[in-house]
Amino acid sequence: MTLRDDTAPAAGRGRERQERERLESSNRDLEAFASLAAHDLQEPLRKIRMYADMAKVAVESDRLEDALAGLDRVEAAANRMQGLITDLLGLARVAGQVPSRDTVDVAALIESIGRQLVDRTGDDAEIEVGAIPLLEADPVLMRQLFQNLISNALKFRRPGVPAKVRVSGEQVGEWVVVSVADNGIGFDDKYAERIFRPFQRLHSRDQYEGSGVGLAMVEAIVERHGGEISAHGQPGEGATFTLNLPAVSEG
Amino acid sequence: MQDREPLIILMADDDADDRAIAAEALREARLANELHFVEDGEKLMDYLRQTGDYSDPETAPRPGIILLDLNMPRKDGREALEEIKADPDLRRIPVVVLTTSTAEEDVYRSYDLGVSGYIAKPVTFGGLVEVMRNLGNYWFELVELPGE
């Protein structure tokens, strides 16, 4: 991941080479992405066929309860597939979009997202927001970004411990460095890069739901704004995501 | 053919449905092998090295064969396979890949790393029962395996 520097004077040939390298790397990403997407879409499809097959056999041998159980699994797999496709489309939209630039008040944004998320889960989660300098970023993408980060923080809570999320920010030059810290299950730092790859998860689907696309989308949004994101975890204590986004230019 | 102790099978697969279906298919194929499960590559290595949650050989006996999924969280099957085949104590255990991936690269790479077989997960239950039956005929009856 690199910070794009559009102001650097580059010789024509240098720029051409850079552009070629960028295209080549984006082609490689696309290939890896397509193969991962195919694999993850095949999982529910395979289950649909497998359980439909089992249900058919069960009907033929008059085991109606087994047949119904099989059909429930078919339904669950179809729902999973639907969710995955929705997330994939979301990710594709982000990647192919030039972000708009508007003034975004992250604190207000998180206030509204947090209320929604906490209402939806109806629990005792606590979201604390510090003073965060204004951003110049795409408001729709910012909502998506913080929604993904905060719902992640709430999802990976420690069992029996009320979830606490702290969002803070400070201006560093032309950037606002935002940090989103939680007191959840955390993760081993050796996975700190892996968690941003699409479809990567650190837990099986039975433990935590989700398509594995959320953080990939967060990273894509940050990169579309020219920024960077990193993660730091401590197993059993929590995780912190640090990202930089463009600050509102002065004057 | 002399009587043997039924081989212990260790299946590494992160998908709970697939683990349950495999156990069912093994029963349906009338195989009496003990079947143990791990959910990812990290746990597979813990199991094989009898560390962490798997330090008791009673509940985590050394497997005679490993059925390995390639795509798993934390440490995937490819990474685990590389470690198994680099470990002089573990490399003799036959590893059969059982995965949804039919990517040529995965097939090549798995054989390069020394797998004993590569099977694409069947899409029907009947197909999986057939896989278990064939694995049974070949690995549990036909071939000679190194003793421990």
Side-chain angles (χ1 to χ4, degrees), chain A residues 46-47 53 73 191 194, chain B residues 15 17-18 42 74 125:
Chain A
R46 201 169 48 81
K47 292 305 169 42
D53 182 43
R73 299 299 183 105
Y191 304 122
R194 183 182 285 232
Chain B
D15 190 308
D17 288 334
D18 279 343
E42 296 268 1
R74 303 211 296 164
F125 182 65

Side-chain angles (χ1 to χ4, degrees), chain A residues 39 42-43 46-47 49-51 53-54 73 80 190-191 194 201-206, chain B residues 14-19 21 42 71 73-76 79 100 121-126:
Chain A
H39 172 265
Q42 247 158 23
E43 182 278 319
R46 201 169 48 81
K47 292 305 169 42
R49 295 182 63 179
M50 180 75 83
Y51 283 114
D53 182 43
M54 289 169 88
R73 299 299 183 105
R80 265 205 315 278
K190 68 179 168 186
Y191 304 122
R194 183 182 285 232
R201 355 131 103 49
L202 300 184
H203 308 275
S204 70
R205 215 185 48 238
D206 329 314
Chain B
D14 63 314
D15 190 308
D17 288 334
D18 279 343
R19 295 196 298 268
I21 295 170
E42 296 268 1
N71 298 298
R74 303 211 296 164
K75 182 176 287 173
D76 72 14
E79 296 166 90
T100 51
K121 277 185 187 172
V123 291
T124 64
F125 182 65

Side-chain angles (χ1 to χ4, degrees), chain B:
Chain B
M1 179 167 304
Q2 65 215 44
D3 272 352
R4 320 181 183 168
E5 284 278 295
L7 276 189
I8 291 168
I9 309 170
L10 177 60
M11 180 174 186
D13 198 314
D14 63 314
D15 190 308
D17 288 334
D18 279 343
R19 295 196 298 268
I21 295 170
E24 180 80 32
L26 195 69
R27 260 196 304 279
E28 188 69 27
R30 303 192 183 290
L31 294 169
N33 304 66
E34 236 179 86
L35 178 58
H36 291 256
F37 295 110
V38 285
E39 289 123 56
D40 61 50
E42 296 268 1
K43 288 190 175 152
L44 173 61
M45 296 318 296
D46 279 353
Y47 186 110
L48 294 173
R49 293 181 173 142
Q50 302 192 317
T51 53
D53 293 343
Y54 306 99
S55 50
D56 181 2
E58 282 287 305
T59 52
R62 184 177 163 100
I65 185 169
I66 298 167
L67 298 182
L68 180 69
D69 184 16
L70 290 182
N71 298 298
M72 293 185 290
R74 303 211 296 164
K75 182 176 287 173
D76 72 14
R78 304 165 188 85
E79 296 166 90
L81 181 60
E82 215 168 324
E83 277 183 46
I84 292 169
K85 291 305 177 189
D87 185 322
D89 183 44
L90 302 176
R91 60 188 303 169
R92 285 193 305 272
I93 304 176
V95 177
V96 175
V97 171
L98 182 60
T99 182
T100 51
S101 166
T102 47
E104 213 169 287
E105 194 190 322
D106 279 332
V107 180
Y108 270 86
R109 190 157 162 65
S110 298
Y111 280 108
D112 266 348
L113 287 171
V115 293
S116 304
Y118 191 107
I119 301 173
K121 277 185 187 172
V123 291
T124 64
F125 182 65
L128 190 63
V129 174
E130 207 45 43
V131 164
M132 289 298 179
R133 207 170 274 144
N134 282 318
L135 281 176
N137 286 337
Y138 186 75
W139 287 106
F140 313 156
E141 287 180 32
L142 185 63
V143 295
E144 286 295 333
L145 291 169
E148 282 320 317

Side-chain angles (χ1 to χ4, degrees), chain A residues 231-244:
Chain A
H232 172 66
Q234 183 86 29
E237 290 187 16
T240 304
F241 291 84
T242 310
L243 46 149
N244 60 334

